[in-house]
Amino acid sequence: MNVPWVTLRIVAWNELADSVRSRRVLVIVLLYLACALWGTKLFVDTLRVLEGELAQTLGLAEPKKAGGVTASLWQSESFRRTLKKLLGDEELVTHLLGAPPLALFYGWLALTFTPLLVMLTASTRIAEEVASGSARFVMFRTTRSLWCLGKFAGQALQIFGALLISAAGTWVLGLIHMQTFEPLAAMLHMLGYACKAWLYALPFLGVALAVSQWMSSPNLAVVVGLMVMFVMSLVRWIGRFAEGSDTAALWQTVALLTPSAYRHHLWWNDLSRLAPAVLLLGILTTAYLLAGHTRFGRRDL
């Protein structure tokens, strides 16, 4: 009974060890960290410029660090009304304004760019071993399904670690450059958003490995993976623009088969809203992996 789980653990560990040996895990971490640091630096610099312009208009001393004016604006009633008009949900606005501005920005950054990074780094993982012929030697020791699941687990662990490091980098920049920065509150919120971004990334990892199971060329797997991701985004946008039309129900139903349909719920901490979204993301992840395995399970290696 324990043999499959032991095998799964071994494959996942070998995936991690192989990434360390080949320095792939270092590339992944640097990609996530660079994206987070670049985005955070842009956010802080933009705040500094806007707050400097506002201070100059009001005849006040220009702040040395960003965030002082933003912290006051964050709690203002006029800003709350503006957000309500944009989001259409007062309860969500109240929830979001309870988070530090930089933490909220990090959450948006992680949820937006992590799927793309996953597709770029994970789409090759099975295809390259099939292309090199190394996959056939592994099949003497395990089943194809367990091998694919082990690959998934190993990649998921790498993504989780990279997200935590990117959150830490964002936190350090905030501590250095933000004037009104609450270290503990920001840390807790960023940790929460990193975990949510990881859960949101799992279906995209499922897509990446599904494509990798279909393709024999690693480069082609990346291209097809990005195309699938683009089609998912396109379906979601069409579903939004089709509201009120005769085909609205069809497009909105198709959109439910994409991870982005549940992204909105990940901003909540309320389990009644969060748990169903996580469950459905898990179902999508499983479905995507199975879609890939329908081909990989019977292909000639």
Side-chain angles (χ1 to χ4, degrees):
M1 291 293 290
N2 292 328
V3 172
W5 297 106
V6 172
T7 304
L8 181 64
R9 185 183 64 187
I10 292 173
V11 174
W13 175 254
N14 286 337
E15 176 71 7
L16 283 172
D18 180 62
S19 293
V20 171
R21 282 194 302 270
S22 63
R23 294 186 175 87
R24 187 183 298 108
V25 68
L26 179 61
V27 172
I28 292 173
V29 169
L30 288 177
L31 275 174
Y32 281 67
L33 185 59
C35 183
L37 294 181
W38 173 81
T40 303
K41 188 67 167 58
L42 183 62
F43 175 76
V44 171
D45 288 345
T46 302
L47 276 186
R48 184 182 293 114
V49 171
L50 292 176
E51 291 181 350
E53 291 291 335
L54 181 60
Q56 186 176 7
T57 301
L58 296 176
L60 302 175
E62 186 173 341
K64 295 181 180 180
K65 291 185 176 182
V69 178
T70 302
S72 300
L73 177 65
W74 205 247
Q75 302 301 325
S76 69
E77 188 59 34
S78 59
F79 184 65
R80 182 185 297 268
R81 286 196 300 268
T82 303
L83 278 183
K84 182 183 175 182
K85 290 179 181 178
L86 290 173
L87 299 177
D89 188 337
E90 186 173 2
E91 191 177 354
L92 178 59
V93 169
T94 302
H95 173 71
L96 292 179
L97 290 178
L102 185 60
L104 198 60
F105 174 78
Y106 170 77
W108 172 84
L109 193 70
L111 287 170
T112 301
F113 290 101
T114 298
L116 176 62
L117 295 176
V118 167
M119 208 61 64
L120 289 172
T121 58
S123 295
T124 63
R125 289 307 299 134
I126 293 176
E128 64 186 10
E129 297 208 26
V130 172
S132 67
S134 61
R136 69 184 64 177
F137 298 104
V138 182
M139 297 309 155
F140 289 108
R141 301 181 180 181
T142 184
T143 63
R144 298 187 184 196
S145 58
L146 281 176
W147 185 65
C148 291
L149 284 175
K151 288 281 188 181
F152 176 85
Q155 286 294 313
L157 288 173
Q158 292 177 53
I159 294 167
F160 186 64
L163 281 169
L164 291 180
I165 292 173
S166 70
T170 300
W171 184 86
V172 170
L173 274 186
L175 186 64
I176 296 172
H177 295 289
M178 296 287 287
Q179 181 176 344
T180 54
F181 187 76
E182 303 173 37
L184 181 59
M187 180 189 299
L188 293 176
H189 279 88
M190 286 181 187
L191 180 60
Y193 288 132
C195 292
K196 290 176 181 179
W198 180 70
L199 291 170
Y200 183 62
L202 292 182
F204 291 97
L205 178 58
V207 171
L209 294 185
V211 169
S212 197
Q213 290 179 76
W214 275 79
M215 303 297 158
S216 297
S217 166
N219 293 332
L220 184 59
V222 173
V223 172
V224 174
L226 292 174
M227 289 176 61
V228 171
M229 186 175 172
F230 173 76
V231 170
M232 285 182 168
S233 300
L234 187 62
V235 166
R236 183 65 176 160
W237 279 106
I238 292 176
R240 289 180 180 177
F241 286 115
E243 290 182 4
S245 66
D246 296 336
T247 59
L250 173 63
W251 283 110
Q252 289 170 4
T253 301
V254 174
L256 292 176
L257 301 177
T258 66
S260 58
Y262 311 100
R263 173 177 168 169
H264 175 81
H265 301 281
L266 295 177
W267 290 109
W268 293 92
N269 292 329
D270 184 1
L271 284 179
S272 64
R273 300 173 188 266
L274 188 60
V278 172
L279 176 61
L280 289 168
L281 288 174
I283 292 173
L284 287 181
T285 303
T286 305
Y288 295 153
L289 285 172
L290 288 176
H293 204 66
T294 57
R295 160 72 171 156
F296 187 75
R298 53 186 173 82
R299 69 185 295 187
D300 184 12
L301 300 179

